[in-house]
Amino acid sequence: MKSDLVKDKIRNAPHRALFRALGFTDEELSRPLVGVVSSYNEIVPGHAHLDKITEAVKLGVAMAGGTPVVFPAIAVCDGIAMGHEGMKYSLVTRDIIADSTEAMALAHGFDALVMIPNCDKNVPGLLMAAARVNIPTVFVSGGPMLAGCVDGEKTSLSSIFEAVGKYNAGKIDAEKLDEYERCTCPTCGSCSGMYTANSMNCLTEALGMGLKGNGTIPAVYSARIELAKRAGMTVMKLLEKNIRPRDIMTEEAFSNALTVDMALGCSTNSMLHLPAIAHECGVEINLDIANGISAKTPNLCHLAPAGRTYMEQLDAAGGVYAVMHELSKKGLIFGGCLTVTGKTVAENVKNCEILNRNVIRPVEDPFSKTGGIAVLKGNLAPDGAVVKRSAVAENMLVHEGPARVFDSEEEAQAAINAGKINPGDVVVIRYEGPKGGPGMREMLNPTSAIMGMGLGDSVALITDGRFSGATRGACIGHVSPEAAGGGPIGVVKEGDIISINIPENTLKLKISDEELAERMKNFTPKTKPLSGYLKRYAALVSSGAKGAVLN
């Protein structure tokens, strides 16, 4: 066992003395040491209940003959961090989580790991760590919160953000806004739409790193506790068979994840996280691969914010396995991929039929014949940009309009709130990329304000930053190269005409090649005074087109 490095008798007597200080018995020291990486904290709604999940995992490990040992991972709540300086610290935590988990796991000689994440950067950060450490590992997440309810309609986090826009536009009063505040998020768990957290938790199933239901069983259901116990037992079987993350997260597994991503209509942030996780596994994912998969993958689900169904309904309709089973009918899933169950994908999803065809459409009757995410390229985004196609109004799939240019989210938000954005405009927010932000802030505040003010079917937004999974509308992010990296988005001028064609995957600044070349020749990107971790991050981070991995 790997843990013999720290607990083998005689030569490790000093190490064993420290285990004695923790109260370990001879019996516990004779068994495999299983690290239980708990992301529990009291500030993130998706993590406030993870102490219960952690205890259930520990019980499962112990029942199967292992010795569970808990250590922590951090997590930022994107919702609470949204719209201010705190959002600069969201994406950057993905690497802190990966680095610190790698350090803890390897420093203490664990034989296996159970990862307990739930929210946006927490899931990919731990998947990155799992690939690096490469010892038997199972993921069991905290699960989604239940949808809220206002005026008889289900709600999720995007509902309250858009309600602020409605209030600012005079469409609702303070009393109704207060009702949204109190009723939108009724339970613990990751926010109830197909936002980034739930996207990534669902993709743990598609990758083969999580058990059935990991992405969809609601946080407050007893089945979630049972799942946690089974995860603890499952990791011991993986240890026995020596099945490791890189045996599971292969090139074909990432193809499966991208395919499921397109079918579910996941958050655009998956286009940052999947390449970063793949990078740790020695697998390359680029945006061109994503477009190829999207072109042949039907979009089977329209969960919030794209539609009016929520995670609890996806779970009841058969969950991720039902989606994968349906996709396999068109030969779109690599069925031979190994998973944490010890079985193949094909064995796992066999007989997992759709239970509600209003929530999960059959492949012969999809919401669209192409996937929920599109990658756009053109002279404005030579290395690509990303849009959640499934959440764009039909009339905005092709749009042309004058640029309204802002060098920060705050500048754009002030203009939107002041009523200075007009139908037809293309809002451009730059210097918010991985390096320029730094930290690639999410733009949920401005996109929600645009939707709430009734401009969602006439105004587009383009940024070198990114979007929350809760964003909907013609919102194009990850524009690469970013302004701070010398990208063409940095030379867009107020009033320039921008052309968006999502069906043709293009994003163009309508000026001549000669004019663009002249502007680029004279362009010096703006810089910001930085300190602390953000200074180091800005110096090391790569383009959003490459997953914003650290060089």
Side-chain angles (χ1 to χ4, degrees), residues 19 95 133 144 150 194 202 240 248 267 325 333 517 540:
F19 279 107
D95 295 277
V133 177
V150 174
M194 187 53 79
C202 286
E240 181 182 338
I248 295 170
S267 165
H325 180 253
I333 294 292
L540 297 173

Side-chain angles (χ1 to χ4, degrees), residues 241 337-345 347-348:
K241 297 177 181 179
C337 292
L338 187 62
T339 72
V340 291
T341 65
K343 299 178 181 179
T344 65
V345 166
E347 291 172 314
N348 286 344

Side-chain angles (χ1 to χ4, degrees), residues 30-42:
S30 70
R31 298 170 184 165
L33 284 184
V34 178
V36 179
V37 188
S38 175
S39 304
Y40 167 75
N41 63 48
E42 294 183 343

Side-chain angles (χ1 to χ4, degrees), residues 366-402:
F367 284 100
S368 68
K369 292 182 180 180
T370 54
I373 290 176
V375 174
L376 313 184
K377 286 191 174 183
N379 64 354
L380 189 52
D383 294 341
V386 182
V387 62
K388 189 169 184 175
R389 174 187 184 137
S390 59
V392 179
E394 188 72 24
N395 69 299
M396 290 297 290
L397 291 172
V398 178
H399 180 75
E400 200 169 277

Side-chain angles (χ1 to χ4, degrees), residues 308-536:
R308 294 183 176 274
T309 51
Y310 296 82
M311 294 304 296
E312 67 227 52
Q313 292 164 282
L314 177 59
D315 185 63
V320 176
Y321 274 23
V323 172
M324 295 181 77
H325 180 253
E326 197 65 18
L327 293 169
S328 68
K329 294 177 182 179
K330 286 193 68 174
L332 296 173
I333 294 292
F334 288 97
C337 292
L338 187 62
T339 72
V340 291
T341 65
K343 299 178 181 179
T344 65
V345 166
E347 291 172 314
N348 286 344
V349 306
K350 184 180 180 182
N351 301 323
C352 292
E353 299 289 346
I354 298 171
L355 303 178
N356 184 335
R357 293 191 167 209
N358 293 319
V359 177
I360 305 173
R361 291 274 188 91
V363 289
E364 62 271 13
D365 182 30
F367 284 100
S368 68
K369 292 182 180 180
T370 54
I373 290 176
V375 174
L376 313 184
K377 286 191 174 183
N379 64 354
L380 189 52
D383 294 341
V386 182
V387 62
K388 189 169 184 175
R389 174 187 184 137
S390 59
V392 179
E394 188 72 24
N395 69 299
M396 290 297 290
L397 291 172
V398 178
H399 180 75
E400 200 169 277
R404 304 297 307 280
V405 183
F406 305 96
D407 287 345
S408 71
E409 178 188 2
E410 287 83 359
E411 289 180 18
Q413 188 68 46
I416 295 167
N417 291 346
K420 294 181 179 179
I421 303 302
N422 304 307
D425 286 348
V426 179
V427 176
V428 177
I429 306 177
R430 60 195 181 191
Y431 293 103
E432 291 287 6
K435 184 182 298 289
M440 207 176 188
R441 287 195 290 180
E442 291 182 345
M443 303 291 141
L444 181 56
N445 272 358
T447 60
S448 297
I450 287 169
M451 296 302 298
M453 297 170 103
L455 295 171
D457 61 354
S458 62
V459 170
L461 192 150
I462 295 172
T463 181
D464 53 9
R466 60 194 177 90
F467 297 113
S468 164
T471 287
R472 62 189 177 105
C475 301
I476 299 163
H478 308 196
V479 171
S480 300
E482 62 178 292
I489 191 174
V491 300
V492 177
K493 295 181 179 179
E494 186 82 7
D496 282 346
I497 301 300
I498 292 175
S499 173
I500 300 164
N501 192 318
I502 294 173
E504 293 185 4
N505 303 111
T506 60
L507 178 63
K508 297 178 181 177
L509 179 62
K510 298 195 76 175
I511 60 174
S512 69
D513 292 345
E514 293 76 16
E515 170 69 13
L516 179 58
E518 185 65 21
R519 290 189 192 181
M520 293 298 292
K521 186 173 73 172
N522 297 314
F523 175 45
T524 301
K526 294 181 178 181
T527 58
K528 300 175 183 177
L530 298 172
S531 62
Y533 182 60
L534 290 182
K535 184 175 182 179
R536 281 182 282 147

